[in-house]
Amino acid sequence: MDTDSNAPSGPLLEVKDLRTHFFTRWGTGKAVDGVSFTLNERESLGLLGESGCGKSMTSLSILRLVPGPAGRIVSGQVLFQGRDLLRISEQEMRRVRGRGIAMILQDPLSTLNPVFSIGGQVAEPLRVHRVVPRSGIRERVSKLLSLVRIPAPESRLNDYPHQFSGGMRQRVVGATAISAGPKVLIADEPTTSLDVTIQAQYLRLLKELQQESNLSIIYITHDLGTLARICDRVAVMYAGKIVEQLTVEALFERPAHPYTEALLQSIPRMDRKVHRFPSIEGSPPLVYDLPPGCAFAPRCPRAMAICRSEAPPETRLDPGHSVACWLHAKDEHET
Ligand SMILES: Nc1ncnc2c1ncn2[C@@H]1O[C@H](COP(=O)(O)OP(=O)(O)O)[C@@H](O)[C@H]1O
Ligand SMILES: [Mg+2]
């Protein structure tokens, strides 16, 4: 594999102790509560967890798009190519969005505007970031559309979204996201609204784009099946915190956190005669009313007394595998 000699050493993106809270009349919601992870060049990292655990708020914080005024990034660092995005001006941040880090939103089909042509929408980031001269935009848009496998793209530039199928619109959203040549693509549950065949095609496309455009991907999902096809590593989130980080291989072979184990047990398996979907007891705690200690303790089948009173320390099990759980805490943390 070739390496870019100009690339800064260290990870492409490094999130350090990020905290994003919602200040409402019901109290403070710790949507993101001390999240840290790194993303290397050309790597794809999965953010896995049930609905409401803070996946979207983590990615919106990276892009400084947290819905205000209730939502606020209260502390932490987001180092992109060594620069802290939480400390730069809004003007500089606009250059980072799309050009440096692009995002496919949770409901991508609604991101296309019905009253603008497909070609116009894919061209928008090219215009905003002046990636190519005005005269070259049409050609670049056609290239992008053929990259996402839209047949005869030249002839479809003036079409409107309603003339495209759901799967094709999804691919157009993908083309728009990468049109300004970002280094990082954040895909927030991009396949949730798609049927299974189109899901598989879309995942293949993401992989191809990653190879052709040297993208690093943050892939957000609650679905282990799609995650396994895209990601190299996984960060498992629960109630605003990353509770375990490991490779996809380790995820299936040696998950350490009881929450990760529970997620694995809830996937339907072809080799079981009876398809059952055992779900985890209880539901995720509202980030407004977190218990003391480990947030998963009330639902955890292996909870001990300490789990209900003290937050578990992060323990490194292997290089690249860490877990925040009292079951795995090393001696120095034991009381
Ligand atoms: N607009 C909002 N106002 C108040 N609280 C919010 C808002 N959006 C999200 N939250 C809180 O942040 C938590 C995390 O949300 P989110 O990141 O969207 O979860 P996920 O993407 O993992 O489903 C939610 O559980 C919710 O309590
Ligand atoms: Mg979400």
Side-chain angles (χ1 to χ4, degrees):
M1 205 181 272
D2 61 329
T3 47
D4 184 350
S5 54
N6 296 321
S9 55
L12 180 60
L13 180 72
E14 187 168 13
V15 174
K16 285 185 172 173
D17 202 22
L18 180 66
R19 286 167 208 271
T20 300
H21 296 173
F22 282 92
F23 300 90
T24 72
R25 69 180 122 127
W26 307 285
T28 304
K30 296 178 177 175
V32 181
D33 193 19
V35 161
S36 302
F37 63 85
T38 58
L39 180 72
N40 297 314
E41 301 248 1
R42 296 188 191 89
E43 186 181 38
S44 50
L45 173 74
L47 270 190
L48 176 71
E50 291 162 290
S51 180
C53 68
K55 305 181 299 295
S56 293
M57 287 308 144
T58 299
S59 48
L60 291 173
S61 302
I62 291 170
L63 286 167
R64 276 173 42 184
L65 294 173
V66 174
R72 269 207 316 274
I73 298 171
V74 292
S75 63
Q77 287 180 302
V78 177
L79 302 169
F80 175 59
Q81 297 177 314
R83 199 162 59 134
D84 188 355
L85 300 184
L86 303 186
R87 304 280 175 291
I88 63 177
S89 69
E90 181 54 32
Q91 198 185 356
E92 286 174 286
M93 194 62 215
R94 274 198 290 272
R95 280 198 288 271
V96 173
R97 290 185 202 118
R99 187 96 223 235
I101 306 175
M103 181 159 174
I104 299 176
L105 293 170
Q106 187 151 8
D107 184 10
L109 296 187
S110 64
T111 6
L112 288 179
N113 191 324
V115 303
F116 292 112
S117 71
I118 292 290
Q121 298 192 55
V122 179
E124 185 63 20
L126 294 174
R127 286 200 201 95
V128 171
H129 297 289
R130 294 170 217 265
V131 180
V132 286
R134 201 170 271 276
S135 58
I137 286 183
R138 220 185 137 82
E139 197 191 323
R140 173 64 82 90
V141 169
S142 293
K143 258 212 187 113
L144 282 161
L145 289 177
S146 61
L147 190 66
V148 296
R149 313 282 180 265
I150 301 288
E154 283 286 358
S155 65
R156 310 286 318 244
L157 296 182
N158 298 324
D159 284 2
Y160 287 85
H162 73 270
Q163 293 168 284
F164 277 49
S165 70
M168 276 162 80
R169 274 183 285 175
Q170 185 86 10
R171 283 179 272 153
V172 170
V173 172
T176 310
I178 60 154
S179 71
K183 302 286 288 173
V184 177
L185 178 66
I186 304 179
D188 191 351
E189 315 230 18
T191 63
T192 321
S193 54
L194 301 176
D195 70 50
V196 177
T197 322
I198 297 174
Q199 245 185 38
Q201 284 171 7
Y202 192 72
L203 292 175
R204 216 171 304 133
L205 176 74
L206 268 186
K207 266 271 170 247
E208 283 167 17
L209 291 180
Q210 179 175 31
Q211 272 143 23
E212 285 168 47
S213 318
N214 289 335
L215 275 173
S216 300
I217 295 178
I218 297 179
Y219 184 80
I220 298 180
T221 189
H222 60 269
D223 173 25
L224 276 155
T226 59
L227 181 139
R229 304 180 56 155
I230 286 285
C231 300
D232 310 310
R233 274 192 308 126
V234 191
V236 183
M237 279 193 83
Y238 189 79
K241 289 185 159 71
I242 291 179
V243 296
E244 183 163 12
Q245 288 202 56
L246 69 181
T247 62
V248 165
E249 196 189 18
L251 173 74
F252 289 97
E253 297 192 344
R254 40 184 188 283
H257 201 287
Y259 178 60
T260 313
E261 282 174 21
L263 287 176
L264 280 161
Q265 275 155 21
S266 67
I267 31 173
R269 287 184 38 180
M270 302 301 276
D271 58 357
R272 285 198 196 131
K273 288 256 155 52
V274 187
H275 284 216
R276 279 199 299 143
F277 302 87
S279 56
I280 309 165
E281 287 291 314
S283 51
L286 293 170
V287 295
Y288 286 86
D289 193 16
L290 290 173
C294 173
F296 187 59
R299 298 167 78 194
C300 183
R302 293 153 74 190
M304 306 173 290
I306 192 170
C307 305
R308 300 184 210 280
S309 59
E310 275 184 62
E314 188 171 341
T315 308
R316 219 179 141 98
L317 302 177
D318 288 311
H321 190 172
S322 60
V323 65
C325 174
W326 281 113
L327 291 169
H328 300 276
K330 298 263 158 71
D331 290 347
E332 65 262 35
H333 298 298
E334 263 159 26
T335 46

